[in-house]
Amino acid sequence: MTSRARRLSFAVAVTSTAALALTACGGSGFEDSSGGGGGAEEASSGGPISVLIGSSGAAETEAVTEAVKEWSDESGVKAEVQVASDLNQQLSQGFASGEPADVFYLSTDQFVGYAANGSLEPYAEDLENADKFYEGLREAFTYEDEFYCAPKDFSTLALVINTGMWKDAGLTDADIPTTWDELRAVSGKLTTDKTMGLAFSPEYQRVGAFSAQAGGGLVSDDGTEATVNSAANVEALSYVKSMMKDGIAAYSSDLGAGWGGEAFGKGMAAMTIEGNWIAGAMSNDFPKVDYQVAELPAGPEGMGTLQYTNCLGIAADSDNVQGSVELVQHLTSEESQMEFAESFGVMPSVESLADQWKAEYPKLGAFIDGADYAQNLPSQEGAADVIAELNAQLATLESSDPQQILDSVQQNMQAVVQD
């Protein structure tokens, strides 16, 4: 089978189980006939560039559109931004038709499949800032020892605390939990007839932070062995279950909320475990709620959290690979990344901006501090489906045996890592 045939075959087979529900928006095209310098002239010879993104909202759409326009005006290369209503589906359809976008957002759970079948241009190591990205983010988009695509930004999980409820419970900054025992203690003090001490979404994407703190994870460090039913993961789930049984922690869904941020914002929970995206939700939906953010407490094996990211993929069959690389260079520059942080609350993917970001957003510093010990979710093709299966089992954690839950999906994850 030819490389192109493999790409078409894979694209047709890709499902959209992990796709985000995104608001559809029209494209925005830019063209400047004035031309540019030597690099711009080489890029412009390759023709126009299409950019497919999955936007978190109007703020991200506007910021990315403006950044692409800025590069387009300077380079003389026409560029068009299209916001997907279903990013994974539209991306797979583009490859299936033989006309993929030149540049596109690509999630970690989709990355390996496209890299393995030759759909992606492995350009990232050639970027001027290639060595400035956080090592964990580089690893997320490395396939067969090759760094393929640049992480555009990232998020981590941290502990979000309602400061009013904290004070009412007689707690001070000295009580911010740094261990599992301390987290249990403050959760108990914060729990009332109307408020749960701690709540989080019913999924490994939140509960998995405890696994990281226990020294666990779903696959081995080298990605060759499934470790779903490890002793560390059993210890983590047993801890979470005990908190639930004691009535001091709960899933957000059990409180009648759609996610941890909603349970927290509506006062159903005094603390939640969420990513830095909660800042936008709080300012937009719950502006009167005062809160602070702390790093998640250490578990038996130390500090641990989860991180989430997307890269800027470039199609191997793009008619303008060089121009696309130059555009990505612009979008991941320090200046652009700080503009994106200001516009829609993301954290820059280059480590060199950490101190500047913390200085500008001191209230959220715990999120970027977590980058030093953050764990990626498995990115092997099919891993997302196994995690979804695990999440279905985790729904009954309070009344189920953690070992049995983990055993139920171990074999399927092993099949994924062996493929």
Side-chain angles (χ1 to χ4, degrees):
M1 183 180 288
T2 66
S3 175
R4 179 176 175 82
R6 285 195 300 273
R7 290 195 288 270
L8 294 178
S9 176
F10 171 79
V12 171
V14 169
T15 64
S16 58
T17 55
L20 297 174
L22 303 169
T23 303
C25 300
S28 298
F30 314 105
E31 185 171 16
D32 184 339
S33 59
S34 61
E41 289 175 359
E42 292 182 21
S44 63
S45 66
I49 294 172
S50 58
V51 183
L52 181 68
I53 71 172
S55 178
S56 59
E60 181 170 3
T61 299
E62 182 177 349
V64 175
T65 298
E66 181 57 33
V68 172
K69 180 181 185 302
E70 179 180 319
W71 177 84
S72 179
D73 289 345
E74 292 179 356
S75 68
V77 181
K78 181 178 181 181
E80 182 179 8
V81 176
Q82 180 71 37
V83 181
S85 57
D86 187 324
L87 180 60
N88 289 347
Q89 182 182 61
Q90 289 174 238
L91 186 59
S92 66
Q93 289 174 342
F95 278 108
S97 68
E99 297 182 355
D102 297 286
V103 179
F104 44 85
Y105 284 9
L106 185 63
S107 62
T108 54
D109 62 321
Q110 296 287 305
F111 162 69
V112 171
Y114 284 117
N117 78 344
S119 294
L120 300 182
E121 177 70 21
Y123 70 88
E125 201 64 69
D126 296 327
L127 294 174
E128 295 175 4
N129 57 349
D131 61 348
K132 292 185 178 181
F133 295 103
Y134 284 97
E135 185 58 34
L137 301 182
R138 284 176 55 99
E139 291 174 0
F141 298 111
T142 294
Y143 176 71
E144 295 187 343
D145 298 324
E146 191 161 20
F147 182 29
Y148 264 71
C149 52
K152 70 182 189 69
D153 49 50
F154 78 115
S155 303
T156 64
L157 301 178
L159 185 67
V160 187
I161 300 168
N162 183 305
T163 53
M165 293 180 180
W166 190 264
K167 183 178 180 180
D168 291 343
L171 299 170
T172 68
D173 285 349
D175 297 304
I176 292 175
T178 59
T179 67
W180 279 7
D181 287 344
E182 291 175 359
L183 179 63
R184 179 188 294 278
V186 297
S187 294
K189 291 181 179 180
L190 290 166
T191 299
T192 68
D193 292 341
K194 297 181 179 179
T195 304
M196 185 62 64
L198 173 66
F200 37 81
S201 299
E203 55 186 353
Y204 185 82
Q205 287 86 339
R206 300 297 179 274
V207 179
F210 293 101
S211 288
Q213 294 152 19
L218 298 180
V219 300
S220 59
D221 290 341
D222 62 6
T224 62
E225 297 290 335
T227 58
V228 178
N229 62 352
S230 67
N233 289 338
V234 172
E235 183 175 18
L237 292 193
S238 297
Y239 171 77
V240 174
K241 176 180 177 178
S242 69
M243 295 262 285
M244 291 177 165
K245 295 285 286 186
D246 289 346
I248 58 177
Y251 287 142
S252 53
S253 54
D254 292 335
L255 302 179
W259 64 296
E262 181 185 2
F264 180 80
K266 290 184 174 180
M268 300 173 179
M271 298 186 295
T272 190
I273 297 172
E274 273 300 335
N276 42 291
W277 50 78
I278 197 173
M282 296 303 294
S283 61
N284 292 332
D285 302 328
F286 311 105
K288 296 182 179 180
V289 178
D290 291 326
Y291 67 95
Q292 66 183 106
V293 181
E295 292 179 80
L296 290 170
E301 295 299 320
M303 304 291 282
T305 188
L306 301 180
Q307 68 182 5
Y308 304 93
T309 183
N310 288 275
C311 78
L312 292 166
I314 294 178
D317 287 340
S318 169
D319 291 331
N320 193 350
V321 170
Q322 181 177 336
S324 296
V325 172
E326 291 177 8
L327 173 56
V328 170
Q329 184 76 68
H330 174 74
L331 295 176
T332 60
S333 67
E334 291 188 351
E335 180 180 0
S336 292
Q337 291 215 40
M338 286 306 298
E339 289 176 354
F340 292 154
E342 180 179 355
S343 298
F344 54 99
V346 294
M347 297 193 303
S349 58
V350 289
E351 194 168 2
S352 56
L353 287 175
D355 289 341
Q356 182 180 345
W357 190 89
K358 286 178 64 176
E360 295 195 22
Y361 307 99
K363 186 175 182 178
L364 306 177
F367 288 115
I368 207 161
D369 287 339
D372 292 337
Y373 47 83
Q375 185 179 106
N376 294 309
L377 292 178
S379 61
Q380 289 88 345
E381 188 178 353
D385 292 333
V386 179
I387 294 174
E389 180 185 353
L390 174 58
N391 288 343
Q393 300 294 325
L394 288 175
T396 63
L397 176 59
E398 185 176 351
S399 59
S400 300
D401 176 39
Q403 184 73 66
Q404 291 182 354
I405 288 176
L406 297 168
D407 285 343
S408 70
V409 296
Q410 167 71 16
Q411 185 175 355
N412 287 342
M413 185 62 81
Q414 185 62 36
V416 163
V417 299
Q418 288 179 337
D419 283 348

